[in-house]
Amino acid sequence: MKIWQASNGELRRVLEGHVFDVNCCRFFPSGLVVLSGGMDAQLKIWSAEDASCVVTFKGHKGGILDTAIVDRGRNVVSGSRDGTARLWDCGRSACLGVIADCGSSINGVAVGAADNSINLGSPEQMPSEREVGTESKMLLLAREDKKLQCLGLQSRQPVFLFVGSDAFNCCTFLSGFLLLAGTQDGNIYQLDVRSPRVPVQVIHRSGAPVLSLLSFRDGFIASQGDGSCFIVQQDLDYLMELTGADCDPVYKVATWEKQIYTCCRDGLVRRYQLSDL
């Protein structure tokens, strides 16, 4: 992994230690620490200041495909090809529990604060004192077996299970009750957790896999396997295309203030500067 100076593209740090592919990485809220997951089934925490790996989590039996950070980051969640989602304690570098065991690859995970109207259930056992910030949080799992699963992060109790048209690749929360999830056949499902049986809407722009979804202002950004990347604002009333990838899959989108970053299979990270939408 590489850390770049965003303003001028200068390479600042190289984080080396994973074996095989690194599938996902994200900064902790502090901006000084990085969380990564790889095909070596390891989850690692790095110092962005000196590039050292300070913690390695082991326990998954398959590659880690996505991660989520709970609150300020004392706990993190990982989803793996082994079909499990796990909750980790960063301070003691220990697994606090298997939140879900799906029997199918978990391609994407998201953690969101639940609206007060949503019943997340009660934990069967007293939560560990090492669990921090899991109360009133939902965990969303995008699964390879065409299922989108939502459960209470602390309670481990099911909230809903939605069956889509194809494998789910990615998911994100838009609010305390609205969420998005993208499938391999190009569908973007918008669901309301309070009545998840019927989607609020299904957006389909092409049959290419939806690879990344990100809440953005009062809409979202999506990227697909055909190189398309677009911003949707205010219930599809306004749409902006980000060009440049030219048919290569855009794997991931990230934002910082008015800037959008995309990472593409062609080996380029592109930066887009937005004026006010």
Side-chain angles (χ1 to χ4, degrees), residues 231-250:
I231 305 169
V232 176
Q233 293 284 290
Q234 294 159 343
D235 297 330
L236 277 180
D237 286 347
Y238 185 88
L239 195 134
M240 179 187 287
E241 295 275 358
L242 303 181
T243 59
D246 195 24
C247 300
D248 271 315
V250 178

Side-chain angles (χ1 to χ4, degrees), residues 256-274:
W256 175 254
E257 295 178 344
K258 291 183 181 179
Q259 295 172 58
I260 295 175
Y261 298 84
T262 63
C263 62
C264 180
R265 191 175 67 179
D266 62 10
L268 297 177
V269 176
R270 291 175 172 83
R271 181 175 68 169
Y272 300 85
Q273 181 77 35
L274 292 185

Side-chain angles (χ1 to χ4, degrees), residues 24-38:
C24 50
C25 58
R26 63 178 74 238
F27 280 99
F28 279 78
S30 68
L32 302 175
V33 187
V34 176
L35 175 68
S36 67

Side-chain angles (χ1 to χ4, degrees), residues 4-273:
W4 307 82
Q5 183 75 28
S7 57
N8 59 12
E10 177 191 348
L11 179 61
R12 298 294 301 273
R13 299 283 184 271
V14 179
L15 311 181
E16 295 180 301
H18 277 290
V19 187
F20 312 125
D21 295 8
V22 180
N23 292 327
C24 50
C25 58
R26 63 178 74 238
F27 280 99
F28 279 78
S30 68
L32 302 175
V33 187
V34 176
L35 175 68
S36 67
M39 288 305 288
D40 55 8
Q42 295 183 50
L43 198 64
K44 289 179 177 286
I45 295 177
W46 310 78
S47 165
E49 297 175 294
D50 64 9
S52 63
C53 178
V54 292
V55 174
T56 298
F57 299 118
K58 295 182 179 180
H60 279 293
K61 302 290 192 294
I64 293 166
L65 300 179
D66 201 9
T67 61
I69 292 171
V70 183
D71 274 3
R72 287 179 293 175
R74 288 179 62 180
N75 295 160
V76 298
V77 176
S78 58
S80 167
R81 291 180 71 168
D82 65 13
T84 67
R86 293 172 182 256
L87 181 69
W88 304 87
D89 173 12
C90 296
R92 291 185 179 170
S93 60
C95 181
L96 291 172
V98 175
I99 308 291
D101 191 347
C102 307
S104 175
S105 178
I106 298 173
N107 297 323
V109 302
V111 171
D115 185 82
N116 291 335
S117 62
I118 297 166
N119 180 14
L120 298 180
S122 301
E124 293 178 358
Q125 298 176 339
M126 189 72 177
S128 164
E129 61 183 23
R130 302 294 298 179
E131 278 194 36
V132 181
T134 57
E135 190 179 3
S136 74
K137 297 289 195 308
M138 297 178 286
L139 175 63
L140 193 59
L141 306 176
R143 295 168 35 170
E144 183 70 22
D145 60 1
K146 304 184 182 182
K147 292 174 182 173
L148 184 69
Q149 181 178 1
C150 182
L151 32 79
L153 182 55
Q154 187 184 81
S155 69
R156 323 287 206 255
Q157 299 298 319
V159 176
F160 73 79
L161 189 66
F162 178 83
V163 180
S165 57
D166 205 346
F168 280 99
N169 292 328
C170 51
C171 55
T172 190
F173 285 100
L174 295 177
S175 71
F177 53 85
L178 285 177
L179 60 92
L180 292 175
T183 60
Q184 185 70 13
D185 60 358
N187 284 330
I188 299 173
Y189 290 89
Q190 183 177 348
L191 298 179
D192 189 323
V193 180
R194 299 166 300 184
S195 54
R197 284 186 162 186
V198 179
V200 176
Q201 61 179 345
V202 181
I203 300 162
H204 185 93
R205 302 197 68 223
S206 82
V210 181
L211 300 178
S212 179
L213 289 167
L214 182 67
S215 174
F216 183 68
R217 300 185 183 175
D218 56 354
F220 66 90
I221 309 174
S223 71
Q224 293 188 260
D226 58 2
S228 64
C229 186
F230 53 93
I231 305 169
V232 176
Q233 293 284 290
Q234 294 159 343
D235 297 330
L236 277 180
D237 286 347
Y238 185 88
L239 195 134
M240 179 187 287
E241 295 275 358
L242 303 181
T243 59
D246 195 24
C247 300
D248 271 315
V250 178
Y251 292 128
K252 199 77 176 177
V253 181
T255 59
W256 175 254
E257 295 178 344
K258 291 183 181 179
Q259 295 172 58
I260 295 175
Y261 298 84
T262 63
C263 62
C264 180
R265 191 175 67 179
D266 62 10
L268 297 177
V269 176
R270 291 175 172 83
R271 181 175 68 169
Y272 300 85
Q273 181 77 35

